[in-house]
Each structure stands twice: as C-alpha cells, then as structure tokens.
C-alpha cells in the first residue's frame, strides 16, 4: 500500500503528545458517537492457527494507506502449531498508530481482542485499567478455560471489572453470516478473524476496499472461500454499526505533519533489507547473489529475493549454513555482490568461512537477524546478543566492519551502507538486524533512484606491478593507498591469474608465506584497513544549547549531564523514553550508533562530555563492554533479555533514576 504525503515535516513528541486525548465527539450516520483520538494501540491475540498475524497485517496495511504513522510488534510462538488453546500457543499482533510521529509499538494496548481464554490470560497483564477487551465468548467454555487454569469464567467472576469488556460470540456470528455458502462448520470458523477485523475496521474507521481486494486475490483459486471471507469481514463491520454494545467509534486522523513530502508505503524490516540489497546490486552494476540456509527470523529475505530474478538476483538455498556462505564467497570471487543471511546459530557455523573472507579480502555481506540465544534459544523472539560474536567470533585477528539499522525502514539504508563498505574496502561486513526490526513495520518513504549512492567498482583488468627486470605482473595484494583495499580481479581475466586461499599470503604477490615479519605486517594491515573505513561522525541530540561546545561536564546550569547511547532496534524505545523524560522537565542527551566497527571518529569526545553514560541493550551489556574497553568511560548498562523490546515507560523511569544520582568523576580525569 502506498500513500502520498505532501505536507512539510513537523516531527512532534510522539511518546506523550496528547496521550489518550480526544476531541469533542460527533455522530455517524447511524447516530452513534464518534470520538477523535490522537493515537491507539491495538493487540489481536489468539491461537497460532487463528490468523492473528494476517489480521494484524491487514489492519496495518489499511492504516498505512490511510496515512497514519504506525509501528507494529508481531509476537508468535516458535512451534509451527502449538497445542490449541494453550498459553505457549498464543500468537499476537500489536499495532500502534497515530496522527503524529511515533517510535514504538506502544507499551500497553488500549484494545485487546482475545479469541480464546489462553489469549486473554497470556495478555491481560499488559492491559491497563479502563482499556477495552473484546472477547470471543464462544471459546469460554469449561474445557478451554481449564487448559489455562481458569476455575471460573473471568467473564462472570468479576475479575475483569476494571476493564471495558465487550463479549462477542465471534464464532457463532461468523457461522451465521456464512450459512448460505455451504461450508462446513470448521471451514466457516476459520473466517472469524475476518469478522474481528471487520469489527475493528468499523471501530476505527479504517478503509475496507483493499482488504476485500486482498482476500479475493489471496483465494483466487477458491472463489467460494474468498467470498466467504469477504462476507465475514463485512458482517463484522455491520455488527459494529448495528449492535448497541459498541456505542462509540473512533477516528485517528492521518499523520500529515509527521513525514517529509513523498510517496510512502508500509514496510517490514526484512522486506526493507531485501529491497536495500536489490538496490545495492543495481547501484553497483553487479549481479546480486544470495547463498543461504533457511533460519528464523531471516528466511523472509531468501523468500523475497527469490522473486527478483529480473533485477539480476540469484538465490541459492543451500543444504546447510556452511554451504550457504561458501557459495556466497565463491560468488564474490567471481565478481558478484555476495550476501549470506542467517541468525545467531548460523553465524557460529559460518565463522570459519568469514575468517577465510577476511584473508581473501573479498566483499561479502553477512546479514544476521538476531534472536534469543544461546544455541537454538528463542527462534521467534528478539535479542541483541550477537554483537561480540560479530566483533570477535573468529579465530585469529580477523576484523570485520559492523553496521546496524535502527528501525524497520532504516534496514534499506543500512543494507546500502554495508554494501558500500564491502565493495570499497574489499571486506566482509556484518549487518546486524534482529527479530523486532525484521517482523515489525512502519511507513517508509520510497526514495528516488537519483538519491541512491553510486556503488560501482572498477575490476582489475591489467597488470599493476613492474618487476625489477621490467616484466609487468599482477599482484593481488597491491593495495589502494587510500583505502588499503586490494584489487578485485574476476577469474578468467587474461594475465591476472593469482592464488587465493586461507593460508597467509605474502604482501603484494599473494604467494603463500610463513615469514613471521610478513604475517605481522599483514595482520596489522588488515586491521588498519578496517580502522580506516570512513563513517560519519556520531550525531548527538542534546537539548542544551552549548552541548557541542562544552568541554567540561554539564549539570543543572550547564545542560544535560547524562547521555543515553544505544545501537540497533533500541532506537525507538530509547527515543520515546528520552522524549518522556524531557516532557517531564529533565535534561538528557541521546546518541545512537549505526557503525559499531569501526566506531565513529568523534565517539570518544562525545562520551567525554557527559558525567553519566547509560547504555540500554537487549543483552547483558555488550556495547557497554566495548565502550568501557576502548574509551575508559564508566558506561552504565541497562539490560533486558526477555525476548521482547524495551517498554518506553519503564526505560524512562530508569533514566530519571540515573539522572538523580550524584555526578561521578570520569575515569580518565
């Protein structure tokens, strides 16, 4: 879905701006009250077979086409089909949409749609008092309730008195709406998610045409099923319009001031990353080759890239992780922009070949969509715990640049940036995304082609060195004096035959060398190449006017004395938390790292300007460890490894506590 936005950018504080506020109500055509809100958080929850992800995706698509800013959080079990009606089998989809700039899927839902007792019990702790809960009463019978430990019905025992509960017999109403389609009861029941989607579409005045078109396209080979789903969707909408239980509907206006002018579409992190890789191949004028083995949550990239053969993309689904990266490295040797995709367990298997790529000095993108570990860990949950693995997880001194996107849409730009580094410096590059970014979505402005970087490279085509006797030869390790990159010679180029392999090479010639001095030189040269990569200076968002000039520490009279710094997907929660702190009157600075190896050149100076440095991470403090080691700064870790992203409110509370602490003398003072 795409939408046009033609208003100027006007970024607002989406974390708290008008939180929960509404404007005076009007009436719709049926005489029902219509309230206007600035933002809403909805969570759909049910069994993994109830279609909650599809329901959330469709609501998100309609919301994006309407022009709201949005952020999503799909959350599903690792099992393909967990036991029905059990807590481990609950799947949910949370959507936060607003008429202004927002950054996170929201801390707590204003509306919970619970398709069964398990969905209610698994999610109730996140629902604030006074929120709306829509429950499918048909599932609240003795056996489903007993599965999750309900001795009495929560719909009748008073335990939900703090909420606005809307009991709706979703299954019964869906079956009744489809009685003329000749479907079995089981087939008709499958459409109850579309009934729920229709009801929520009525409640929040979402467009409906695209969903109906989507259903007809999805079930084009089964037109009866398609029309049954459309009928269930319309029945849900009509139920909201006619029932007395829903006396109020809500409007959330488009976020016309939140975006720069352009054409927008809703996009997930994995899709944006896939498009970024395709764009990088086109901008480099190189074929794009993906060697990959399916693994959650990275498999979507393989699926997507396999659709784009018309853009010179070739995908290879290997028999295992090692074969996947081996094929990709071979493609890099052959002159392709080579990529391999995986998650943490796959990186462990690929580590030897990554070291080989460091030795060969060939461009290769290693895309790691991080998930909870160790080992198999939490396949469908998010984590940031592969940073040290990407930094050091190889034998010997094998430095690799690391790039990390901060939002789902930013995955597109990060892919281009990683390709730039790989091609310019002839090196493998880690691109660290995670499950939160991969599956989450937000609006993305589709860039113009002339806005994309020129990534074209020059292959070696002739001899580059003259021997003492005047003979011209090709030296595969004769380096560019600026980048220290070696020449890239495509196999089969006449006169450019050269040796490659994992054994140490002689400087220049590429011959095998066991000479100690040569090995020392080559190790230091490879490190110097990575250290010399050009990355932009770190930008600091500091509300104090003298922040860029202040050399001494800040404080109540000198502006912010606390800096919160993060990387990757913590950007949204950190920024939302910082906005909350500032709205409460606190002075706090924020910075976010895209480049983790090498660090931006001004990072040390930035860290030195603040008394307190806080590093929120979804691990046990890996970036904080690197910052302490390199810059001798007393970085304070704030960590979470629950498989879920930070909540802005909890993070804001922690930052406020840190700011109340007395100043600490810097270690290097």
């Amino acid at each position: 879905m795409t939408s046009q936005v033609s208003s100027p950018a006007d970024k607002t504080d989406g974390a708290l701006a008008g939180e929960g506020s509404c404007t005076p109500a009007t009436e719709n055509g049926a005489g029902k009250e219509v309230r206007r809100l600035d933002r809403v958080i909805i969570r759909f929850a049910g069994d993994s077979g109830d279609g909650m992800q599809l329901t959330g995706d469709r609501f998100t698509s309609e919301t994006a086409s309407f022009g709201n800013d949005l952020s999503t959080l799909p959350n599903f079990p690792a099992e393909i089909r967990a036991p029905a009606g059990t807590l481990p089998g609950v799947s949910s989809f949370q959507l936060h949409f607003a008429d202004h700039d927002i950054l996170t899927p929201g801390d707590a839902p204003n509306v919970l749609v619970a398709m069964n007792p398990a969905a209610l019990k698994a999610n109730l702790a996140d629902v604030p008092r006074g929120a709306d809960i829509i429950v499918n009463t048909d599932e609240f019978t003795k056996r489903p309730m007993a599965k999750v430990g309900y001795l009495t019905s929560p719909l009748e025992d008073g335990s939900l008195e703090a909420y606005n509960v809307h009991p709706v017999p979703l299954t019964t109403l869906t079956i009744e709406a489809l009685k003329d389609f000749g479907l079995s009861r089981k087939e008709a029941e499958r459409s109850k998610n579309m009934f729920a989607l229709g009801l929520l579409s009525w409640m929040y005045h979402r467009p409906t045409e695209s969903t109906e078109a989507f259903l007809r396209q999805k079930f084009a080979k089964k037109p009866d099923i398609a029309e049954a789903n459309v009928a269930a969707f319309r029945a849900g909408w009509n139920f909201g319009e006619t029932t007395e239980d829903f006396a109020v509907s809500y409007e959330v206006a488009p976020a016309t001031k939140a975006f720069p002018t352009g054409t927008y579409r809703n996009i997930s992190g994995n899709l944006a990353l896939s498009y970024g890789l395709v764009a990088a191949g086109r901008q480099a004028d190189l074929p794009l080759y993906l060697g990959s083995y399916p693994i959650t949550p990275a498999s979507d990239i393989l699926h997507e890239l396999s659709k784009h053969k018309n853009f010179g993309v070739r995908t290879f689904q290997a028999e295992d992780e090692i074969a996947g990266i081996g094929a990709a490295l071979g493609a890099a040797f052959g002159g392709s922009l080579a990529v391999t995709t995986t998650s943490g367990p796959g990186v462990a298997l690929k580590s030897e070949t990554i070291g080989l790529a460091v030795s060969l000095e060939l461009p290769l993108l290693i895309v790691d969509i991080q998930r909870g570990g160790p080992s198999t860990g939490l396949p469908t949950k998010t984590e940031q715990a592969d940073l040290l693995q990407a930094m050091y997880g190889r034998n010997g001194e094998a430095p690799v640049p690391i790039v990390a996107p901060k939002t789902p849409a930013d995955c597109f730009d990060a892919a281009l940036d990683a390709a730039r580094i790989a091609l310019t410096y002839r090196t493998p590059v880690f691109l660290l995304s995670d499950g939160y970014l991969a599956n989450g979505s937000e609006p993305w402005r589709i860039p113009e082609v002339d806005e994309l970087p020129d990534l074209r490279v020059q292959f070696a085509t002739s001899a580059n060195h003259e021997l003492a006797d005047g003979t011209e030869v090709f030296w595969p390790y004769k380096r560019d004096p600026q980048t220290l990159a070696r020449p890239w010679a495509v196999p089969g180029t006449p006169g450019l035959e050269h040796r490659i392999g994992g054994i140490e090479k002689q400087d220049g010639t590429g011959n095998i060398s066991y000479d100690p001095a040569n090995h020392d030189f080559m190790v230091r040269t490879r490190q110097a190449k990575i250290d010399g990569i050009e990355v932009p200076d770190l930008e600091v968002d500091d509300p104090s006017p003298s922040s860029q000039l202040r050399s001494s520490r800040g404080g109540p009279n000198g502006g912010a004395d606390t800096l919160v710094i993060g990387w990757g997907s913590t950007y949204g929660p950190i920024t939302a938390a910082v906005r909350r702190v500032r709205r409460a009157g606190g002075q706090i600075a924020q910075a976010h790292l895209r480049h983790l190896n090498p660090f931006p050149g001004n990072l040390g100076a930035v860290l030195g300007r603040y008394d307190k440095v806080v590093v929120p991470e979804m691990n046990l403090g890996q970036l904080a460890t690197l910052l302490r080691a390199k810059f001798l700064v007393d970085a304070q870790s704030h960590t979470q490894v629950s498989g879920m992203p930070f909540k802005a409110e909890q993070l804001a509370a922690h930052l406020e506590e840190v700011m109340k602490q007395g100043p600490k003398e810097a270690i290097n003072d």
Side-chain angles (χ1 to χ4, degrees), residues 441-462:
S441 62
E442 66 176 350
W444 171 58
R445 188 182 72 83
I446 302 172
E448 300 295 333
V449 174
D450 58 11
E451 297 174 9
L452 303 179
D454 185 349
L455 301 178
R456 287 174 294 182
V457 298
Q458 294 294 324
F459 289 111
T461 57
S462 60

Side-chain angles (χ1 to χ4, degrees), residues 49-167:
D50 283 340
M52 294 296 94
Q53 303 304 319
L54 175 62
T55 304
D57 283 339
R58 289 314 312 160
F59 197 95
T60 299
S61 294
E62 299 294 4
T63 297
S65 67
F66 188 71
N68 296 118
D69 195 9
L70 61 89
S71 180
T72 68
L73 177 61
N75 186 16
F76 39 86
E79 292 81 4
I80 295 174
R81 181 61 62 86
T86 62
L87 293 175
V90 173
S91 174
S92 68
F93 188 104
Q94 184 160 303
L95 166 68
H96 182 190
F97 62 102
D99 65 1
H100 56 271
D101 171 37
I102 59 174
L103 299 156
T104 73
D107 289 354
N110 306 116
V111 181
L112 171 65
V113 180
M115 303 297 282
N116 59 20
L120 177 65
K121 189 164 189 176
N123 292 279
L124 190 59
D126 292 336
V127 182
R129 296 171 65 88
D132 289 306
I133 300 178
I134 300 172
V135 293
N136 178 16
T137 56
D138 289 325
E139 292 295 322
F140 280 75
T141 57
K142 186 175 181 179
R143 185 177 180 185
M145 289 191 294
K147 280 186 178 182
V148 295
Y150 281 130
L151 301 179
T152 60
S153 173
L155 307 181
E156 300 172 355
D157 62 10
S159 59
L160 300 179
E161 288 182 352
Y163 311 97
N164 299 319
V165 180
H166 303 275

Side-chain angles (χ1 to χ4, degrees), residues 580-643:
R580 288 173 181 255
V581 172
R582 290 177 181 173
R583 284 182 63 86
Q587 290 264 15
I588 189 168
Q590 177 191 358
H592 207 77
L593 289 166
R594 166 178 281 183
H595 297 95
L596 296 152
N597 192 32
F599 284 129
N602 68 333
L603 177 55
V606 167
L607 296 173
R609 289 205 298 262
Y610 298 91
D611 282 329
K612 289 166 279 191
V613 177
V614 185
V615 190
E617 297 180 80
M618 293 188 293
N619 55 49
L620 295 183
Q622 297 187 16
L623 174 60
T625 296
L626 294 175
L627 296 180
R628 289 170 181 155
K630 187 170 181 64
F631 301 106
L632 300 181
V633 60
D634 186 20
Q636 301 182 38
S637 283
H638 180 64
T639 63
Q640 174 177 302
V641 282
S642 63

Side-chain angles (χ1 to χ4, degrees), residues 221-554:
K221 296 181 179 180
K222 298 179 179 179
D224 291 345
I225 299 297
E227 293 307 316
N229 277 280
V230 170
F233 177 70
R234 291 178 176 176
W237 196 96
N238 291 331
F239 178 78
E241 180 78 355
T242 58
T243 184
E244 295 182 0
D245 190 43
F246 293 93
V248 179
S249 63
Y250 304 90
E251 287 184 352
V252 180
T256 54
K257 295 183 179 181
F259 305 112
T261 301
T263 300
Y264 287 77
R265 60 157 293 162
N266 181 53
I267 200 164
S268 68
N270 272 354
L271 184 57
L273 201 153
S274 300
Y275 287 174
L277 294 174
V278 174
R282 300 292 284 182
Q283 292 303 107
D285 196 23
L286 295 175
L288 180 70
Y289 184 94
L290 173 66
S292 182
Y293 180 74
I295 184 172
T296 302
S299 299
D300 291 342
I301 302 171
L302 172 61
H303 300 160
E304 182 61 33
L305 290 181
S306 68
K307 303 175 184 177
H308 298 291
K309 296 180 177 64
N310 56 315
F311 287 118
V313 178
R314 178 173 293 179
T315 54
F316 169 56
Q317 180 174 323
E319 65 269 28
D320 55 39
E321 295 281 4
I322 298 172
I325 190 173
L329 185 57
F333 178 59
S336 293
L337 176 57
V339 185
T340 189
T341 53
T342 189
S343 189
V347 174
L349 292 167
K350 295 177 188 290
S351 62
E352 183 179 4
T353 308
I354 297 171
L356 177 60
V358 171
S359 176
L360 300 184
E361 300 189 47
L362 286 170
L364 173 67
L365 301 185
I366 305 113
V367 179
D368 178 6
I369 312 298
Q370 300 166 95
R371 70 190 203 191
S375 189
T376 307
L378 304 174
T380 61
K381 310 300 180 183
T382 194
E383 207 164 88
Q384 288 183 300
D386 295 350
L387 176 56
L388 293 183
Q389 181 184 27
M391 193 81 173
Y392 300 120
R394 294 162 296 284
N395 65 295
E397 296 288 347
V400 175
I402 303 172
V403 177
K406 62 184 181 180
T407 69
D410 188 49
C411 289
F412 177 86
D413 296 316
L416 285 164
D417 199 9
R420 171 190 69 86
I421 294 172
L423 294 171
T424 302
Y425 296 90
R426 310 287 197 267
T427 177
V429 177
F430 263 103
L431 182 56
L432 291 185
S433 179
D434 60 42
Y436 174 34
L437 294 184
N439 298 315
S441 62
E442 66 176 350
W444 171 58
R445 188 182 72 83
I446 302 172
E448 300 295 333
V449 174
D450 58 11
E451 297 174 9
L452 303 179
D454 185 349
L455 301 178
R456 287 174 294 182
V457 298
Q458 294 294 324
F459 289 111
T461 57
S462 60
N464 62 0
H465 184 75
E466 185 175 320
L467 299 177
D469 62 1
T471 304
E472 291 188 343
V473 296
F474 175 69
W475 276 15
Y477 284 88
K478 186 168 185 175
R479 301 179 183 279
D480 182 287
Q482 297 298 319
T483 65
L484 299 182
R486 77 172 187 86
W488 193 4
V490 176
T493 305
L496 303 191
E497 297 83 358
H498 60 284
R499 179 182 288 108
I500 64 170
I503 297 178
E504 184 64 279
K505 306 296 181 296
Q506 185 183 55
D507 176 41
T509 69
N511 296 329
I512 292 175
S513 173
Y514 298 103
D515 178 64
N518 178 80
H519 176 61
D520 183 275
F521 178 81
M522 293 295 281
V523 167
R524 295 181 186 277
T525 300
R526 287 189 289 262
Q527 183 66 58
K529 182 176 69 170
I530 303 306
D531 292 341
I533 291 173
E534 290 188 10
V535 301
D537 278 350
L538 181 66
E539 295 183 1
V540 182
D541 177 12
D542 189 328
S544 52
S546 60
S547 62
Q548 297 302 319
L549 302 176
R550 188 174 65 247
S551 58
S552 61
R553 293 186 297 275

